[in-house]
Amino acid sequence: MTYSIATIPGDGIGVDVTAEAVKVLDAVLPGISWIEFDWSCEQYLRTGAMMPSDGPSQLAGFDAILLGAVGFPGVPDHISLWGLLIPLRRAFSQYVNLRPVRLLPGTRSALADRTAEDLDILIVRENSEGEYSEIGGIHNPGRAEEFVLQESVFTRVGCERIIRYGFERARERGGKLCSATKSNGLIHSMPYWDSVFERIAAEYPDVETRQMHVDALAAEIVLHPDRLDVIVASNLFGDILSDLAAAVTGGLGLAPSGNINPSREAPSMFEAVHGSAPDIAGQGIANPIAQILTGAMLLDHLGEHDAAAAVDRAVCEVLAEGSVRTPDLGGTNTTSEVGTAIAKRGAEIAPTG
């Protein structure tokens, strides 16, 4: 099959690492049609918008979207986030943010004496509602009575579908699911989340469940990551926990993610967890592995499982050999050199290679 994939390289190192991911995917699956969209903070500074008003409709016909990082000095983060990423997630009902976190071969965890067997966690984050809501505002601005109201939104549909998705993924993996909550502090939203989790758990008697307050769960990731398999969490909690887990396994430069529309009625969007790091952009030292592994997730979502496995294996082999690495992993190679090494290995492994 041939696929039409949109790329939005974005800002900073997003441009650098997306080029390498495209290189690797082309090596393992020739024939992909790539269309690039220059939507970024730089466009915002030129036009006052991160993307055109019809941006979602321009992307709707693609099989998938590969997104680089967005963010640039002079553009507030809430502008870049709410001007591009969140509108696309919601327009395409990408209500699952999937973040696999594992210790890769040849890399070291920030935790002493932990191995790859100890660090292999899948975080299923709700991606369309929860704490990331537009409802609220600043009232009485500039006065002594000034206050800010920020509302969270937890719908029955939203909670049920993400929790059920978490159970399905747990059933495919090790059969364990942990729910992140904070029902001892958030009097309405988290007890409701817990009740939905408990109700759906009854449908999956084969899955072992836990419910942990998010602060205790953060400690568990650090102290006992081997006890965790799949975590399901609300939007904010999932965001924080996935960054913590990625840092524990060696840094955000190794962490992929996907914004998934499980129904496949609209394109899913794939992006590395890390930011745009404008201070090192264009210097050829950014680690492209997170974006390359994100590309593997994209291929897997499209059903190209052999090609996805080839990318994953190529990354693992190059890392394990240790001769080609970017400076953040203790090496001296450039972004392009790492991407080329992985592309070459992937082409040798892939069925088409």
Side-chain angles (χ1 to χ4, degrees), residues 123-138:
I123 298 177
V124 176
R125 169 193 172 196
E126 203 290 317
N127 207 32
S128 61
E129 53 179 48
E131 300 91 343
Y132 286 14
S133 163
E134 294 180 86
I135 301 174
I138 301 175

Side-chain angles (χ1 to χ4, degrees), residues 16 280-286 326-327 332-337:
D16 305 339
I280 63 169
Q283 298 179 30
I285 61 174
T326 45
T332 59
N333 297 98
T334 66
T335 306
S336 180
E337 287 170 344

Side-chain angles (χ1 to χ4, degrees), residues 48 132 164 173 295:
Y132 286 14
R164 184 167 281 110
R173 285 173 50 101

Side-chain angles (χ1 to χ4, degrees), residues 274-288:
H274 63 68
S276 60
D279 56 318
I280 63 169
Q283 298 179 30
I285 61 174
N287 187 344

